[in-house]
Amino acid sequence: MTNNSCLDRRHPYHLVDPSPWPITLSFASVPTTVGGVLAFHSIRAGGLLLGSGLGMLLYTLFLWWRDVIRESTYAGLHSACVHQGHRYGFLMFIASEVMFFIAFFWAFFHSALGPAVESGAIWPPHGLMVPDPWGIPFLNTLILLGSGASVTWAHHALFAGSEKAAVNALAVTIWLALLFVLLQAMEYRDAPFTMSDGIYGSTFFVATGFHGVHVIIGTIFLICCAIRHYLGHFTPTHHFGFEAAAWYWHFVDVVWLFLFVSIYWWGGH
Amino acid sequence: VEDVLNTKTAPFDIRFPSTNQTKHCYTRYIEYHKCRKERGPDAPECDKYARYYRSLCPSEWIERWNEQREMGVFPGPY
C-alpha cells in the first residue's frame, strides 16, 4: 500500500506547492514603483501609493518566508541537497548585489578620477565641506568590523550548541548594527551638502544611501534570525537562515570598507 | 614679415597626448594663475603660460573663467 505522502518521491529535491506569493509580490511592486516615481516628482499621491506598495511588499515577503520556515523547520522538506542549492543560490544573489555596488563605485570613480573642467578639475569640488573620514565614518568602520566579529562568534556558538552564547552574540551584533544606522542617520541629517550638490553629492548619497538600505535589510535579517533562534529553529548542523544572514552581513561590511577607503578617505581632502 | 615668420603655438605636452586638448588648455590657464600667485603678478616667467593658454583655449572659455574669478566663483584652484 502506498502512502500519499509527498516524501514518497524518489529524489531529494523540494518541488514547492503552488503559492500565491510570487504573483502577489509582482502586484505589490506596481504601486511601489509608480508611487516612487510620482513621489520623486513631488506629486502628492505618490507618497501614499509608495507607502501602501511597500507595505504590501513587506507583508508578502513576510508570508513567503513564513511559508519557507513552515516547509523547512516544521515539515522537514529541506534535505541536504536543497540546503546546498540554497547556499549556491544565496551566494549568487550576493554576487549580483556586488555587481550592483560596482555600478555605483564605477560612477564615483568615473567622476572623481577625471573631474570635469566645469567644476574645476579637482576632487572634492571646491567649496564642499566633506565629512572628516576620521570622525564618525571611522567609528562606523570599527562598529561594522566589530559586528562582523560578533556574528562569527554567534555562528561558532551555534555550531557548539551554546544556545545562550549565540543569543548574546546575536544581540551584540544587532545592537552594533542599530548603532551604525543611528550614526549614519545623524551624519545624513547634519551633512552640510545634499544629493543635489553636484556630482559629489550625487555619487556620495547614492553609494552610501544604497549601502544604508542594505544595512537596514541585513539588520532586519539578523533580528529575524535572533527570533528564530530563540524559538529553537536552528540546530548545530542546519541553520541556513542564520548563515545567509551572516554572509549578507559580511558583504555589507566589505562594501562599507570600500566606501570608507574610496569615498570618505581617498575622495576627501 | 618677421612677426608672421615667428608665429608659434603651445608646444606638445606629453601629459595630454590625445586629440582632445581641453585639459591642456585648462591646465595652462591654472598654471598661469599659480605662477602669478607664487611669483607675483608681474613676474616675467608667467608670460609663457599666458601665451600657451591664450593659444589653446577658446576665447569664450577664457572670458567665462575670468568672469568667474571676478565674481569669486571660479571652481578651480589658484
Side-chain angles (χ1 to χ4, degrees):
Chain A
M1 185 186 96
T2 50
N3 289 330
N4 275 332
S5 165
C6 58
L7 293 173
D8 278 345
R9 65 187 202 272
R10 289 190 218 154
H11 61 79
Y13 301 100
H14 177 207
L15 300 174
V16 296
D17 289 333
S19 163
W21 309 136
I23 198 156
T24 310
L25 197 68
S26 329
F27 284 148
S29 308
V30 177
T32 309
T33 46
V34 172
V37 173
L38 289 176
F40 293 156
H41 290 274
S42 307
I43 295 169
R44 182 71 77 88
L48 188 63
L49 215 52
L50 175 62
S52 51
L54 277 174
M56 288 190 252
L57 209 82
L58 289 169
Y59 187 48
T60 308
L61 288 173
F62 165 75
L63 292 167
W64 191 331
W65 282 319
R66 179 207 63 180
D67 281 355
V68 173
I69 292 172
R70 286 175 174 179
E71 290 158 9
S72 57
T73 305
Y74 298 133
L77 293 167
H78 285 192
S79 61
C81 177
V82 172
H83 185 176
Q84 266 300 87
H86 287 157
R87 291 165 76 91
Y88 281 127
F90 199 75
L91 279 171
M92 284 193 278
F93 169 66
I94 290 184
S96 78
E97 294 256 75
V98 168
M99 296 310 297
F100 181 74
F101 275 97
I102 285 176
F104 299 117
F105 276 98
W106 187 333
F108 167 73
F109 280 115
H110 174 98
S111 297
L113 278 168
V117 167
E118 288 80 356
S119 49
I122 48 173
W123 193 275
H126 184 60
L128 272 165
M129 285 172 58
V130 300
D132 171 22
W134 303 109
I136 300 280
F138 184 58
L139 178 60
N140 276 341
T141 307
L142 296 174
I143 288 171
L144 282 183
L145 287 172
S147 68
S150 62
V151 82
T152 307
W153 167 29
H155 199 181
H156 284 274
L158 264 180
F159 280 141
S162 317
E163 315 228 320
K164 190 107 186 305
V167 170
N168 288 339
L170 260 175
V172 166
T173 311
I174 292 166
W175 278 119
L176 288 171
L178 291 171
L179 188 58
F180 177 93
V181 172
L182 181 69
L183 286 168
Q184 204 52 343
M186 283 165 53
E187 285 281 275
Y188 267 34
R189 182 197 63 186
D190 296 336
F193 59 92
T194 71
M195 190 188 247
S196 315
D197 283 318
I199 190 63
Y200 184 90
S202 293
T203 49
F204 181 90
F205 283 108
V206 167
T208 60
F210 271 120
H211 175 260
V213 169
H214 285 71
V215 170
I216 291 169
I217 292 171
T219 308
I220 294 173
F221 200 169
L222 287 166
I223 292 173
C224 291
C225 284
I227 295 171
R228 289 189 67 201
H229 179 53
Y230 182 75
L231 295 172
H233 289 189
F234 297 139
T235 74
T237 45
H238 195 156
H239 44 258
F240 177 68
F242 177 84
E243 280 177 334
W247 290 350
Y248 198 78
W249 193 251
H250 289 306
F251 154 71
V252 153
D253 186 8
V254 169
V255 171
W256 173 261
L257 293 174
F258 277 97
L259 280 176
F260 178 75
V261 169
S262 315
I263 295 185
Y264 285 94
W265 189 2
W266 177 84
H269 287 302
Chain B
V1 172
E2 281 200 9
D3 282 340
V4 169
L5 290 174
N6 277 334
T7 45
K8 300 190 271 233
T9 183
F12 173 71
D13 187 336
I14 192 111
R15 297 175 294 176
F16 312 102
S18 309
T19 304
N20 187 327
Q21 294 284 287
T22 303
K23 280 281 173 63
H24 189 183
C25 137
Y26 181 74
T27 303
R28 291 304 192 191
Y29 179 81
I30 297 292
E31 280 172 350
Y32 168 69
H33 286 284
K34 178 176 193 264
C35 176
R36 274 178 61 119
K37 184 173 178 199
E38 287 173 358
R39 293 170 196 252
D42 298 318
E45 305 87 70
C46 304
D47 286 344
K48 74 165 188 273
Y49 297 121
R51 284 199 306 276
Y52 294 163
Y53 87 71
R54 283 171 200 152
S55 237
L56 288 162
C57 300
S59 52
E60 296 91 353
W61 295 9
I62 300 172
E63 279 159 25
R64 185 173 66 233
W65 292 335
N66 288 340
E67 267 171 34
Q68 285 176 336
R69 274 185 193 279
E70 278 161 34
M71 294 195 294
V73 293
F74 180 67
Y78 307 107

